[in-house]
Amino acid sequence: DAGVIQSPRHEVTEMGQEVTLRCKPISGHNSLFWYRQTMMRGLELLIYFNNNVPIDDSGMPEDRFSAKMPNASFSTLKIQPSEPRDSAVYFCASSPPGAYHKNIQYFGAGTRLSVL
Amino acid sequence: KQEVTQIPAALSVPEGENLVLNCSFTDSAIYNLQWFRQDPGKGLTSLLLIQSSQREQTSGRLNASLDKSSGRSTLYIAASQPGDSATYLCAVQGGADGLTFGKGTHLIIQP
């Protein structure tokens, strides 16, 4: 299995532009998580999906952030408009169906976003 | 709100030493605790998962313990090697949601 695949690996954009980050979870996994990592705040959960349905988006910082999961094999995280303070590494993770307490989350390599 | 603290923030030791990384959390109502490794520019790799009903887990030279009532976990690395150099992250799962992470311990093993 190729693992969780994120694209792009690096994204440099200018303030005000729209940014779309993509994630392909591991086949058969039914939970998907978006995290953001910064030096100041560490790793924070933004939103997670179960069976393609958003369950908790309380970590999404502002209305400028939105996430979708149109099917079991694809999710996007969109920032519109982007701001310099959105610069961070964004991780996607997935986990298989089953009891939550037993499930390891598998992380993608991340997307490093720089907003100038 | 769950908070996870890791001590020390950074650690540098000579190769061959045994070492302990510490993690504490404020809310003991957790489903599990996981230790991850993160290499520079890379994603996270899960090292050990301890369910709330368990006291410890072992994998090779790694041993993680969990004391849920006191809100503490330790990761013990035996006979450290330069290849163990990385950032080690502790995370807890408090229900059907994502993980709450500590800020990590940046570990350097000197050859």
Side-chain angles (χ1 to χ4, degrees), chain B residues 1-5 23-34 50 52 66-73 90-101:
Chain B
K1 178 183 174 183
Q2 179 75 268
E3 293 184 3
V4 179
T5 303
C23 171
S24 62
F25 47 95
T26 55
D27 185 349
S28 61
I30 64 170
Y31 276 95
N32 64 52
L33 182 144
Q34 297 184 44
I50 310 176
S52 62
L66 173 64
D67 184 341
K68 200 175 78 160
S69 61
S70 68
R72 296 183 180 184
S73 175
C90 167
V92 297
Q93 183 166 10
D97 55 12
L99 299 168
T100 301
F101 283 85

Side-chain angles (χ1 to χ4, degrees), chain A residues 9 35 37 40 48 100-101, chain B residues 32 38 41 93 96 99 103:
Chain A
R9 288 296 312 278
Y35 293 88
Q37 186 176 38
M40 287 293 295
Y48 78 97
Y100 299 112
H101 64 285
Chain B
N32 64 52
Q38 185 174 26
Q93 183 166 10
L99 299 168
K103 292 191 175 180

